[in-house]
Amino acid sequence: MNNQKQEVPLYEALKKRSDQNPISFHVPGHKGGLVFNKEGIESYEKLLQIDLTELAGLDDLHAPQGVIAKSQALAARWFGVESTYFLVGGSTVGNLAMILATCHPGGKVIVQRNSHKSILNGLELSGSLPVFVAPDYDESVDRYSAPSVNTLKQAITCHPDATAIILTYPDYFGRTYDIESVIIYAHQHNIPVLVDEAHGVHFSLGAIFPASSVELGADVVVQSAHKMAPAMTMASYLHTNTSLVSSDKIKRYLQMLQSSSPSYPLMASLDLARAYLEQITADNIRDLQKSINKLRSELNKSDFWEVIPLKTGIDDPLKITIQVKGGYTGKKAAELFEKERLVPELSTHNQILFIHGLTPFEQWGTLIEAIEKINEQLKIVPKHATIDDNNIIINEPIQSLAFSYQEMSKKKTKFISWELANGKIAAEAVIPYPPGIPLIVKGEIVTERHINMVKYLLSKGISFQNRDINNGIYLFL
């Protein structure tokens, strides 16, 4: 790491106040850790000392003029954007804000179909008319990834009056695509490009990583600092770099959507995360690359799975996906990894995602021994019948909802069994989690293929963020 001291004005202001050991006659009620349940004080004590409120010298997130403003400006400078805003509600609140600031009731919005549920929620709140663009099936990774550039351009050509185009980059597994061509084409039609880049905050490091959509000209970009950089959970950034989206509207909606008592530890972790990224050197990247290569090599030592090859410049090298073979489920294999204290990010019916950190991995002995044990255990685990699910879900390349959100708000709903759902309109999104991308979106016609996929995923032990998903779905009457 670069040993040069980095500026972290917000964190330093919190630390300075804590070091003065002040007597609290203000909120929060834990009084810097003096009032707290004894069961948790050992874990929380240090953090509570900087869990403060809008006191003198600590600035205000909703009208920043001091240390928060300076911290955000330092982030904007490092990421190379006009403005950076600190988010304490995760990328979710950033996605909602950029949509509400750009879209309006009845206005068309071109949307990548496999977007996070927060994007769909933002569209509903805005009252927009989404035009969904379906992702292509990518045989090289055995899953749907991103829409083709040609299909996205076709959607823009067919809907030049769209108020925005909303894209996800990279996908959960770290795969990117030629988003720059889409951005250029959208801008030729004066359409702003909003990007959910939740998993790409580290792309701004350059080197071995794909280019960030920030660098490629996107108008608004939301990044989860906590996913791939060292920030606390829910700490995220929203970047603007455009004249096509009103910065005043972005600020207004962030004020509406974010807490009036934002967490100072979360905000300070954003300050520190930016400083951490700034310190990473070319030597650090070389050491990181060696560690990634070794981890991929060790993980590939199995007859029961294989590591999906990496495409340089297209895939995030920190994301390592294994494809389970021979009738075994991703969930079952993931359970065996967890039993050996190797905890993956997620498992699907046939894949497991591992995320390498931004520093070299060190616990090689534990890893190698665990992989050997898992291989032995899989020899005696019963196999499951598999089906060819490559084409279970085929959406129209460009698709609109059966009803507008305004129409949906006036309709009655009823919970109906899957056996009777075919051909009816979904009144709720059906969301496997992780990764939180709807399999069926609210307002979409439920097809037999949808039903088969839900049942298939349930049989593989995949979790859903839906009530009573095993028995049916809420539909519009």
Side-chain angles (χ1 to χ4, degrees):
M1 302 292 286
N2 185 340
N3 293 323
Q4 183 178 353
K5 191 176 187 300
Q6 304 293 320
E7 288 187 88
V8 282
L10 177 54
Y11 172 74
E12 288 172 351
L14 292 171
K15 186 69 168 57
K16 180 180 179 181
R17 179 172 281 273
S18 173
D19 290 344
Q20 293 171 347
N21 198 25
I23 299 172
S24 170
F25 285 99
H26 56 78
V27 298
H30 58 66
K31 301 296 181 181
L34 295 176
V35 182
F36 209 73
N37 190 306
K38 64 180 181 180
E39 296 298 326
I41 190 60
E42 184 178 351
S43 297
Y44 281 87
E45 188 170 18
K46 284 287 187 181
L47 187 62
L48 295 175
Q49 292 171 16
I50 62 168
D51 183 28
L52 297 168
T53 188
E54 290 84 354
L55 303 173
L58 296 186
D59 210 356
D60 182 346
L61 177 63
H62 297 296
Q65 297 179 347
V67 288
I68 293 177
K70 187 174 181 180
S71 294
Q72 291 185 149
L74 286 168
R77 184 182 69 184
W78 191 79
F79 285 105
V81 295
E82 292 174 3
S83 300
T84 293
Y85 302 91
F86 285 179
L87 308 177
V88 294
S91 284
T92 290
V93 75
N95 287 340
L96 295 177
M98 72 179 182
I99 291 171
L100 291 171
T102 311
C103 309
H104 56 78
K108 292 181 186 176
V109 183
I110 299 168
V111 188
Q112 184 172 328
R113 171 63 180 77
N114 55 333
S115 294
H116 188 263
K117 62 177 183 176
S118 59
I119 297 293
L120 280 297
N121 290 337
L123 293 173
E124 183 170 355
L125 289 172
S126 72
S128 299
L129 299 175
V131 176
F132 290 111
V133 181
D136 281 356
Y137 180 77
D138 189 339
E139 290 186 2
S140 66
V141 293
D142 192 23
R143 61 177 180 268
Y144 290 92
S145 182
S148 74
V149 171
N150 286 338
T151 306
L152 287 166
K153 287 183 176 180
Q154 181 185 348
I156 294 170
T157 301
C158 294
H159 302 280
D161 56 340
T163 58
I165 180 168
I166 305 173
L167 303 172
T168 301
Y169 175 99
D171 67 11
Y172 207 112
F173 293 82
R175 174 145 289 201
T176 67
Y177 61 100
D178 183 14
I179 195 173
E180 184 176 21
S181 293
V182 181
I183 293 170
I184 292 171
Y185 195 71
H187 286 171
Q188 289 172 356
H189 291 76
N190 211 38
I191 299 174
V193 181
L194 317 181
V195 181
D196 177 358
E197 194 173 285
H199 291 264
V201 66
H202 56 304
F203 286 3
S204 293
L205 289 169
I208 62 175
F209 300 106
S212 169
S213 63
V214 169
E215 176 188 348
L216 298 176
D219 298 276
V220 185
V221 179
V222 175
Q223 298 172 331
S224 292
H226 64 94
K227 282 187 167 66
M228 303 301 293
M232 292 181 67
T233 298
M234 293 177 67
S236 301
Y237 301 112
L238 184 151
H239 308 295
T240 60
N241 210 27
T242 181
S243 60
L244 296 179
V245 179
S246 166
S247 59
D248 288 339
K249 285 187 176 181
I250 291 283
K251 293 174 186 176
R252 176 155 57 89
Y253 281 108
L254 285 176
Q255 285 188 354
M256 291 172 63
L257 296 167
Q258 298 215 89
S259 171
S260 59
S261 300
S263 165
Y264 272 84
L266 288 185
M267 292 188 287
S269 78
L270 286 168
D271 202 13
L272 292 164
R274 180 267 313 156
Y276 182 92
L277 293 173
E278 281 187 338
Q279 296 177 77
I280 294 177
T281 66
D283 287 340
N284 296 143
I285 295 294
R286 281 191 288 270
D287 291 340
L288 179 60
Q289 181 71 77
K290 291 177 184 177
S291 179
I292 292 168
N293 291 343
K294 184 175 180 180
L295 180 57
R296 292 180 64 86
S297 176
E298 295 298 337
L299 280 172
N300 217 18
K301 294 178 179 178
S302 176
D303 293 329
F304 300 100
W305 65 76
E306 60 184 1
V307 175
I308 293 179
L310 185 75
K311 285 189 177 182
T312 303
I314 300 296
D315 291 317
D316 179 359
L318 297 184
K319 300 288 186 74
I320 303 171
T321 305
I322 66 173
Q323 178 96 10
V324 181
K325 302 186 294 185
Y328 296 98
T329 67
K331 184 175 178 62
K332 183 60 183 178
E335 289 173 355
L336 295 177
F337 274 100
E338 290 199 24
K339 186 178 178 182
E340 299 299 327
R341 298 189 302 112
L342 300 175
V343 184
E345 168 67 13
L346 65 83
S347 63
T348 68
H349 62 290
N350 65 343
Q351 295 183 346
I352 305 175
L353 173 63
F354 297 84
I355 299 180
H356 193 294
L358 281 171
T359 56
F361 183 74
E362 295 180 349
Q363 296 170 285
W364 295 110
T366 301
L367 174 76
I368 293 167
E369 183 180 351
I371 290 173
E372 291 174 352
K373 287 182 179 179
I374 294 167
N375 277 312
E376 289 301 314
Q377 291 174 68
L378 282 175
K379 291 178 182 178
I380 59 174
V381 172
K383 296 182 180 181
H384 295 270
T386 60
I387 62 174
D388 178 10
D389 59 354
N390 291 356
N391 296 310
I392 284 184
I393 297 299
I394 302 178
N395 294 297
E396 292 293 325
I398 301 174
Q399 175 189 13
S400 298
L401 296 178
F403 302 127
S404 70
Y405 289 118
Q406 289 87 345
E407 290 172 324
M408 289 185 227
S409 67
K410 300 173 184 177
K411 290 184 175 295
K412 294 182 178 180
T413 65
K414 185 177 181 180
F415 188 81
I416 296 176
S417 69
W418 287 112
E419 286 68 27
L420 301 175
N422 186 28
K424 296 182 173 61
I425 311 299
E428 63 173 332
V430 175
I431 306 171
Y433 194 86
I437 294 170
L439 177 64
I440 303 171
V441 301
K442 183 177 178 180
E444 184 175 29
I445 297 174
V446 178
T447 67
E448 187 175 352
R449 285 173 171 155
H450 285 133
I451 296 168
N452 287 340
M453 181 57 106
V454 170
K455 291 181 176 179
Y456 176 55
L457 293 177
L458 287 171
S459 74
K460 298 297 183 182
I462 301 300
S463 299
F464 283 77
Q465 292 189 326
N466 295 81
R467 298 164 288 176
D468 204 15
I469 187 67
N470 289 281
N471 295 318
I473 179 175
Y474 281 90
L475 301 170
F476 288 114
L477 296 177

mmCIF file of all heavy atoms in Angstrom, residues 142-164:
data_model
loop_
_atom_site.group_PDB
_atom_site.id
_atom_site.type_symbol
_atom_site.label_atom_id
_atom_site.label_comp_id
_atom_site.label_asym_id
_atom_site.label_seq_id
_atom_site.Cartn_x
_atom_site.Cartn_y
_atom_site.Cartn_z
ATOM 1 N N ASP A 142 -23.158 -20.146 -18.735
ATOM 2 C CA ASP A 142 -24.360 -20.927 -18.432
ATOM 3 C C ASP A 142 -25.387 -20.139 -17.619
ATOM 4 O O ASP A 142 -25.956 -20.635 -16.658
ATOM 5 C CB ASP A 142 -23.984 -22.219 -17.700
ATOM 6 C CG ASP A 142 -25.152 -23.208 -17.627
ATOM 7 O OD1 ASP A 142 -26.068 -23.104 -18.473
ATOM 8 O OD2 ASP A 142 -25.160 -24.062 -16.725
ATOM 9 N N ARG A 143 -25.607 -18.894 -18.008
ATOM 10 C CA ARG A 143 -26.640 -18.103 -17.339
ATOM 11 C C ARG A 143 -26.959 -16.886 -18.203
ATOM 12 O O ARG A 143 -26.215 -16.535 -19.115
ATOM 13 C CB ARG A 143 -26.212 -17.657 -15.936
ATOM 14 C CG ARG A 143 -24.977 -16.774 -15.920
ATOM 15 C CD ARG A 143 -24.626 -16.291 -14.520
ATOM 16 N NE ARG A 143 -23.453 -15.449 -14.562
ATOM 17 C CZ ARG A 143 -22.210 -15.867 -14.406
ATOM 18 N NH1 ARG A 143 -21.989 -17.141 -14.170
ATOM 19 N NH2 ARG A 143 -21.200 -15.020 -14.489
ATOM 20 N N TYR A 144 -28.080 -16.246 -17.876
ATOM 21 C CA TYR A 144 -28.416 -14.968 -18.509
ATOM 22 C C TYR A 144 -27.554 -13.884 -17.878
ATOM 23 O O TYR A 144 -27.417 -13.811 -16.660
ATOM 24 C CB TYR A 144 -29.891 -14.653 -18.310
ATOM 25 C CG TYR A 144 -30.807 -15.559 -19.089
ATOM 26 C CD1 TYR A 144 -31.314 -16.732 -18.516
ATOM 27 C CD2 TYR A 144 -31.166 -15.263 -20.401
ATOM 28 C CE1 TYR A 144 -32.152 -17.577 -19.236
ATOM 29 C CE2 TYR A 144 -32.005 -16.093 -21.121
ATOM 30 C CZ TYR A 144 -32.497 -17.251 -20.532
ATOM 31 O OH TYR A 144 -33.315 -18.080 -21.250
ATOM 32 N N SER A 145 -26.982 -13.016 -18.696
ATOM 33 C CA SER A 145 -26.094 -11.988 -18.172
ATOM 34 C C SER A 145 -26.622 -10.594 -18.483
ATOM 35 O O SER A 145 -27.260 -9.964 -17.659
ATOM 36 C CB SER A 145 -24.686 -12.172 -18.735
ATOM 37 O OG SER A 145 -23.804 -11.214 -18.193
ATOM 38 N N ALA A 146 -26.397 -10.101 -19.711
ATOM 39 C CA ALA A 146 -26.823 -8.749 -20.084
ATOM 40 C C ALA A 146 -27.530 -8.791 -21.423
ATOM 41 O O ALA A 146 -27.342 -9.712 -22.215
ATOM 42 C CB ALA A 146 -25.616 -7.818 -20.157
ATOM 43 N N PRO A 147 -28.362 -7.796 -21.713
ATOM 44 C CA PRO A 147 -28.940 -7.697 -23.059
ATOM 45 C C PRO A 147 -27.844 -7.440 -24.075
ATOM 46 O O PRO A 147 -26.798 -6.873 -23.749
ATOM 47 C CB PRO A 147 -29.884 -6.492 -22.955
ATOM 48 C CG PRO A 147 -30.068 -6.244 -21.502
ATOM 49 C CD PRO A 147 -28.813 -6.703 -20.840
ATOM 50 N N SER A 148 -28.075 -7.821 -25.311
ATOM 51 C CA SER A 148 -27.103 -7.509 -26.359
ATOM 52 C C SER A 148 -27.135 -6.008 -26.634
ATOM 53 O O SER A 148 -28.170 -5.341 -26.464
ATOM 54 C CB SER A 148 -27.419 -8.280 -27.641
ATOM 55 O OG SER A 148 -28.546 -7.722 -28.285
ATOM 56 N N VAL A 149 -26.005 -5.493 -27.067
ATOM 57 C CA VAL A 149 -25.925 -4.075 -27.397
ATOM 58 C C VAL A 149 -26.903 -3.741 -28.522
ATOM 59 O O VAL A 149 -27.566 -2.689 -28.503
ATOM 60 C CB VAL A 149 -24.480 -3.702 -27.791
ATOM 61 C CG1 VAL A 149 -24.425 -2.287 -28.360
ATOM 62 C CG2 VAL A 149 -23.553 -3.827 -26.592
ATOM 63 N N ASN A 150 -27.033 -4.623 -29.488
ATOM 64 C CA ASN A 150 -27.945 -4.378 -30.605
ATOM 65 C C ASN A 150 -29.396 -4.278 -30.142
ATOM 66 O O ASN A 150 -30.158 -3.430 -30.638
ATOM 67 C CB ASN A 150 -27.808 -5.485 -31.650
ATOM 68 C CG ASN A 150 -26.524 -5.371 -32.457
ATOM 69 O OD1 ASN A 150 -25.939 -4.293 -32.545
ATOM 70 N ND2 ASN A 150 -26.086 -6.476 -33.025
ATOM 71 N N THR A 151 -29.778 -5.139 -29.191
ATOM 72 C CA THR A 151 -31.158 -5.083 -28.686
ATOM 73 C C THR A 151 -31.401 -3.799 -27.913
ATOM 74 O O THR A 151 -32.462 -3.178 -28.019
ATOM 75 C CB THR A 151 -31.465 -6.309 -27.804
ATOM 76 O OG1 THR A 151 -31.173 -7.501 -28.527
ATOM 77 C CG2 THR A 151 -32.930 -6.324 -27.398
ATOM 78 N N LEU A 152 -30.422 -3.383 -27.128
ATOM 79 C CA LEU A 152 -30.549 -2.127 -26.389
ATOM 80 C C LEU A 152 -30.656 -0.945 -27.347
ATOM 81 O O LEU A 152 -31.473 -0.034 -27.151
ATOM 82 C CB LEU A 152 -29.360 -1.945 -25.451
ATOM 83 C CG LEU A 152 -29.352 -2.856 -24.215
ATOM 84 C CD1 LEU A 152 -27.976 -2.852 -23.544
ATOM 85 C CD2 LEU A 152 -30.426 -2.437 -23.217
ATOM 86 N N LYS A 153 -29.854 -0.960 -28.408
ATOM 87 C CA LYS A 153 -29.931 0.115 -29.402
ATOM 88 C C LYS A 153 -31.286 0.100 -30.113
ATOM 89 O O LYS A 153 -31.863 1.160 -30.410
ATOM 90 C CB LYS A 153 -28.796 -0.033 -30.415
ATOM 91 C CG LYS A 153 -27.424 0.343 -29.878
ATOM 92 C CD LYS A 153 -26.365 0.236 -30.971
ATOM 93 C CE LYS A 153 -25.006 0.706 -30.485
ATOM 94 N NZ LYS A 153 -23.962 0.598 -31.541
ATOM 95 N N GLN A 154 -31.793 -1.111 -30.355
ATOM 96 C CA GLN A 154 -33.107 -1.233 -30.990
ATOM 97 C C GLN A 154 -34.186 -0.626 -30.110
ATOM 98 O O GLN A 154 -35.095 0.069 -30.598
ATOM 99 C CB GLN A 154 -33.417 -2.703 -31.271
ATOM 100 C CG GLN A 154 -34.764 -2.925 -31.959
ATOM 101 C CD GLN A 154 -35.092 -4.408 -32.117
ATOM 102 O OE1 GLN A 154 -34.235 -5.262 -31.910
ATOM 103 N NE2 GLN A 154 -36.335 -4.717 -32.457
ATOM 104 N N ALA A 155 -34.085 -0.864 -28.812
ATOM 105 C CA ALA A 155 -35.062 -0.301 -27.878
ATOM 106 C C ALA A 155 -35.003 1.221 -27.892
ATOM 107 O O ALA A 155 -36.043 1.910 -27.857
ATOM 108 C CB ALA A 155 -34.803 -0.832 -26.464
ATOM 109 N N ILE A 156 -33.808 1.776 -27.964
ATOM 110 C CA ILE A 156 -33.659 3.238 -28.028
ATOM 111 C C ILE A 156 -34.235 3.779 -29.329
ATOM 112 O O ILE A 156 -34.936 4.802 -29.342
ATOM 113 C CB ILE A 156 -32.165 3.623 -27.884
ATOM 114 C CG1 ILE A 156 -31.660 3.268 -26.488
ATOM 115 C CG2 ILE A 156 -31.969 5.111 -28.165
ATOM 116 C CD1 ILE A 156 -30.153 3.380 -26.325
ATOM 117 N N THR A 157 -33.960 3.075 -30.432
ATOM 118 C CA THR A 157 -34.485 3.501 -31.731
ATOM 119 C C THR A 157 -36.008 3.484 -31.743
ATOM 120 O O THR A 157 -36.652 4.397 -32.284
ATOM 121 C CB THR A 157 -33.947 2.578 -32.846
ATOM 122 O OG1 THR A 157 -32.518 2.637 -32.850
ATOM 123 C CG2 THR A 157 -34.476 3.004 -34.205
ATOM 124 N N CYS A 158 -36.604 2.446 -31.135
ATOM 125 C CA CYS A 158 -38.068 2.319 -31.101
ATOM 126 C C CYS A 158 -38.716 3.270 -30.104
ATOM 127 O O CYS A 158 -39.892 3.610 -30.241
ATOM 128 C CB CYS A 158 -38.453 0.879 -30.758
ATOM 129 S SG CYS A 158 -38.007 -0.328 -32.017
ATOM 130 N N HIS A 159 -37.955 3.701 -29.101
ATOM 131 C CA HIS A 159 -38.512 4.563 -28.045
ATOM 132 C C HIS A 159 -37.576 5.750 -27.808
ATOM 133 O O HIS A 159 -37.040 5.932 -26.698
ATOM 134 C CB HIS A 159 -38.704 3.756 -26.759
ATOM 135 C CG HIS A 159 -39.586 2.560 -26.914
ATOM 136 N ND1 HIS A 159 -40.967 2.639 -26.931
ATOM 137 C CD2 HIS A 159 -39.273 1.247 -27.093
ATOM 138 C CE1 HIS A 159 -41.468 1.428 -27.090
ATOM 139 N NE2 HIS A 159 -40.480 0.567 -27.202
ATOM 140 N N PRO A 160 -37.400 6.602 -28.796
ATOM 141 C CA PRO A 160 -36.486 7.743 -28.652
ATOM 142 C C PRO A 160 -36.991 8.793 -27.660
ATOM 143 O O PRO A 160 -36.241 9.698 -27.287
ATOM 144 C CB PRO A 160 -36.420 8.320 -30.073
ATOM 145 C CG PRO A 160 -37.727 7.924 -30.700
ATOM 146 C CD PRO A 160 -38.044 6.580 -30.128
ATOM 147 N N ASP A 161 -38.273 8.661 -27.274
ATOM 148 C CA ASP A 161 -38.850 9.590 -26.302
ATOM 149 C C ASP A 161 -38.669 9.112 -24.866
ATOM 150 O O ASP A 161 -39.226 9.709 -23.929
ATOM 151 C CB ASP A 161 -40.334 9.801 -26.591
ATOM 152 C CG ASP A 161 -41.131 8.496 -26.625
ATOM 153 O OD1 ASP A 161 -40.507 7.413 -26.802
ATOM 154 O OD2 ASP A 161 -42.370 8.542 -26.484
ATOM 155 N N ALA A 162 -37.900 8.028 -24.652
ATOM 156 C CA ALA A 162 -37.677 7.523 -23.294
ATOM 157 C C ALA A 162 -36.992 8.580 -22.437
ATOM 158 O O ALA A 162 -36.121 9.319 -22.909
ATOM 159 C CB ALA A 162 -36.830 6.254 -23.345
ATOM 160 N N THR A 163 -37.403 8.646 -21.179
ATOM 161 C CA THR A 163 -36.819 9.635 -20.270
ATOM 162 C C THR A 163 -35.462 9.193 -19.738
ATOM 163 O O THR A 163 -34.675 10.021 -19.262
ATOM 164 C CB THR A 163 -37.750 9.901 -19.080
ATOM 165 O OG1 THR A 163 -37.988 8.666 -18.386
ATOM 166 C CG2 THR A 163 -39.080 10.466 -19.545
ATOM 167 N N ALA A 164 -35.182 7.865 -19.805
ATOM 168 C CA ALA A 164 -33.902 7.350 -19.323
ATOM 169 C C ALA A 164 -33.748 5.907 -19.794
ATOM 170 O O ALA A 164 -34.724 5.257 -20.191
ATOM 171 C CB ALA A 164 -33.816 7.415 -17.799
#
